Amino acid sequence: MLDLTVIPATDTRLPAEPFRGRHLIGGTWVEGAETFGRRSPSHGVVVSHSALGTAADAEAAIAAARRAFDAGDWSRAPAKSRAEVLTRVAALIEANVDRIALLETLETGKPISQSKGEVSGAADLWRYAAALARTLHGESHNTLGTDILGVVVKEPIGVVSIITPWNFPFWILSQKLPFALAAGCTCVIKPSEMTPSTTVMLGELLVEAGMPAGVVNIVLGYGLPVGATLASHPDVDMVTFTGSTGVGKGITAAASGTLKKVALELGGKNPQIVFPDADLDSAADAVTFGIYFNAGECCNSGSRIILHEDIAADFTARVVALSRKVAFGDPLHPDTQVGAIVTPQHRDKIDAYVKAASAAGATVALGGTALQVPGLAGEFYQPTVVTGVTPDMAVAREEVFGPVLSVLTFRTADEAVALANDATYGLSAGVWSENVHTCLDLARRIQAGTIWTNTWMDGFPELTFGGFKQSGTGREIGSYGLEEFLEVKTLCMRIGRSRANWVRA
Ligand code: NAD
């Protein structure tokens, strides 16, 4: 018998009909000549049918966004009116949490309690962006001489393409869209083909909140041709993308033809370093949370732990024991903590990493195979802990994107830093020690956009987020999240006629 905590199928009723998703172009809902379906990864039934976008749909959406931007009704509106619309959207999201969360769970496989948390948390991002809109200002230079006044103003960058992944569809869109809108930009969004529906639901709320037509456009469909058109089109001024590092590099190449601005939030192979003097109970709980949250399908997954040799065996045993208590299973059950894997292909990819590590000499201390959830036909994977991992193994270097923890060890702080930085990624990292000097020293030496000390994955709209190295470029949320969508213009103004003519009389 499996010594794991598995939640079988609950008798929650699924929606009677699949959700029907259409494009939103220039304020009009547009059907596709063809549609594509999304099968729930947990329940194995089709839960949405979406319009299949073409290059022509993407071009029409870009043209609508361009017209709306140039007309100025949004881009030149007082920040106060933009903030009012964003605040109304926040309230509408809050009023629709249950409806949105259900579809988010059915398309992603994530637990319903988590979906509800993400959707209501996203409302707070909209409120924060609304507040930020009204702080937008430039700078003045009154010290350049009696006859010169310099002013640096900030302007919206223009038409922004937003391309999002499947793992946090509603949340990640809300890390980008309200900030772009607060800046005064107009947008074209392409959600992942696996999770299009909650973006459409948000579109419905934007219309209800009074967003002018053409300011936000949505085109559903695949990377090719829709995403590629959004990344390369000359009428787009910026593309902001969250997804895999490989596709991110392709986006940069596609955008280079017009040198448009590119912001990328990509993958991670995030280390947590645990020293012997840490609060080991808290650290073990946070490591367990860090690896199984969202079934490990998370850019911030704490997928490798770097343990001091003195505590490695005991700490690993604690994590294995905790792993057995994490509730895996039906994502619609309120107690479930870990749901389904997004596709059968992805589950096989996760499994291949574990098998390769085992073949290379690592030990599978827990899990390492698919999980059968009674009553559900979907894709699940067991909580998995792999010990004896060496830095050269793929499981230590690449993003597994599954509930698979790699355990490495260190002897000195320098070794721990070297192991942490031995990665092409640099998204986030954690340090566990009760010694503040150890925490601060490592926090300064580790190459990552976010360092957590004695915690993992705490986040706030105020605290900016982004990656070093191949984890990305640019920053989201916080005040930097607004700056990303702004262009800077210098006004240099002469007062009076004090300047002697350049051409001699
Ligand atoms: P993905 O790169 O496969 O797809 C992301 C989006 O890009 C999708 O909408 C997809 O349709 C689109 N796309 C695919 N090919 C394209 C092309 N040629 N041109 C334009 N668009 C194209 O990523 P995914 O599998 O959906 O998401 C998982 C990845 O996202 C992981 O690597 C994860 O680390 C990363 N991620 C990063 C963050 C972060 O903030 N750093 C957050 C969440 C996810």
Side-chain angles (χ1 to χ4, degrees):
M1 202 192 90
L2 270 183
D3 187 11
L4 299 173
T5 307
V6 179
I7 302 214
T10 117
D11 61 359
T12 315
R13 253 191 253 141
L14 301 182
E17 294 287 328
F19 182 83
R20 188 165 136 256
R22 294 172 294 173
H23 312 303
L24 177 61
I25 301 176
T28 303
W29 292 103
V30 179
E31 303 280 356
E34 290 178 67
T35 61
F36 62 100
R38 171 63 174 153
R39 189 178 146 275
S40 155
S42 52
H43 288 72
V45 295
V46 173
V47 289
S48 62
H49 286 299
S50 305
L52 179 64
T54 61
D57 294 323
E59 282 161 8
I62 293 166
R66 183 82 261 163
R67 274 195 306 276
F69 186 83
D70 293 345
D73 296 347
W74 183 260
S75 52
R76 291 196 288 272
K80 178 171 184 276
S81 11
R82 291 202 293 264
E84 280 166 2
V85 177
L86 301 186
T87 306
R88 281 202 292 277
V89 175
L92 285 168
I93 292 172
E94 276 162 350
N96 286 277
V97 167
D98 289 349
R99 205 170 63 85
I100 299 170
L102 176 60
L103 216 55
E104 193 80 327
T105 283
L106 290 175
E107 286 191 338
T108 61
K110 69 176 68 197
I112 189 70
S113 59
Q114 188 187 318
S115 291
K116 286 181 185 173
E118 283 168 21
V119 175
S120 43
D124 192 39
L125 290 175
W126 282 81
R127 269 191 223 292
Y128 175 72
L132 214 52
R134 299 187 68 172
T135 68
L136 209 168
H137 64 274
E139 58 188 36
S140 61
H141 294 262
N142 199 29
T143 54
L144 306 177
T146 52
D147 53 353
I148 290 284
L149 178 63
V151 176
V152 178
V153 297
K154 295 186 180 172
E155 298 181 353
I157 201 162
V159 173
V160 177
S161 291
I162 300 181
I163 303 175
T164 56
W166 48 261
N167 57 347
F168 296 92
F170 198 85
W171 174 265
I172 286 174
L173 180 55
S174 298
Q175 288 201 155
K176 299 175 186 288
L177 181 60
F179 296 84
L181 293 172
C185 296
T186 61
C187 301
V188 182
I189 305 163
K190 191 204 89 63
S192 167
E193 58 277 18
M194 283 183 262
T195 54
S197 300
T198 56
T199 297
V200 174
M201 288 175 147
L202 180 63
E204 290 166 357
L205 301 184
L206 295 173
V207 172
E208 193 179 337
M211 188 69 69
V215 171
V216 177
N217 305 273
I218 300 170
V219 184
L220 309 175
Y222 290 81
L224 291 175
V226 179
T229 306
L230 297 191
S232 59
H233 199 285
D235 280 344
V236 171
D237 300 293
M238 173 178 174
V239 51
T240 171
F241 168 82
T242 297
S244 58
T245 295
V247 174
K249 288 178 183 175
I251 300 248
T252 302
S256 69
T258 53
L259 287 182
K260 57 174 70 31
K261 183 171 178 180
V262 177
L264 302 170
E265 294 289 341
L266 307 175
K269 190 72 198 173
N270 313 298
Q272 292 212 62
I273 299 170
V274 186
F275 283 85
D277 70 345
D279 172 347
L280 296 177
D281 280 342
S282 301
D285 183 73
V287 162
T288 309
F289 163 63
I291 188 58
Y292 301 127
F293 175 68
N294 216 51
E297 297 168 328
C298 178
C299 55
N300 264 332
S301 169
S303 53
R304 52 186 183 128
I305 51 169
I306 302 176
L307 303 177
H308 191 278
E309 276 183 2
D310 290 353
I311 54 154
D314 175 56
F315 190 86
T316 306
R318 282 188 202 222
V319 172
V320 167
L322 290 176
S323 301
R324 296 186 189 283
K325 293 187 184 162
V326 179
F328 278 58
D330 185 348
L332 290 177
H333 193 287
D335 293 342
T336 297
Q337 293 170 288
V338 182
I341 302 297
V342 72
T343 58
Q345 296 76 14
H346 188 56
R347 192 198 52 199
D348 292 348
K349 189 176 155 201
I350 295 168
D351 196 49
Y353 273 111
V354 179
K355 299 281 186 294
S358 178
T363 302
V364 180
L366 180 72
T369 186
L371 176 69
Q372 308 305 324
V373 174
L376 289 181
E379 331 300 337
F380 296 84
Y381 202 80
Q382 294 188 9
T384 298
V385 177
V386 185
T387 59
V389 172
T390 52
D392 53 302
M393 292 179 186
V395 77
R397 309 197 71 78
E398 295 172 21
E399 209 181 22
V400 176
F401 233 54
V404 177
L405 181 66
S406 292
V407 182
L408 297 95
T409 58
F410 73 94
R411 230 187 318 265
T412 65
D414 286 348
E415 256 177 50
V417 172
L419 279 170
N421 289 339
D422 181 18
T424 50
Y425 293 116
L427 190 60
S428 59
V431 183
W432 289 86
S433 167
E434 290 295 275
N435 184 328
V436 68
H437 304 287
T438 305
C439 290
L440 290 178
D441 180 39
L442 266 76
R444 289 162 69 147
R445 291 162 69 195
I446 295 172
Q447 299 153 350
T450 296
I451 312 279
W452 284 291
T453 70
N454 297 315
T455 185
W456 187 254
M457 239 189 300
D458 274 329
F460 301 88
E462 289 83 350
L463 295 184
T464 196
F465 179 67
F468 281 26
K469 302 199 269 187
Q470 292 191 30
S471 287
T473 56
R475 290 293 177 269
E476 293 192 343
I477 65 175
S479 60
Y480 296 94
L482 180 67
E483 297 289 332
E484 280 293 325
F485 298 104
L486 295 169
E487 192 52 280
V488 176
K489 181 185 278 177
T490 293
L491 310 184
C492 183
M493 299 174 284
R494 185 165 289 277
I495 301 162
R497 293 284 168 266
S498 53
R499 183 176 174 274
N501 284 350
W502 184 65
V503 179
R504 289 186 209 105

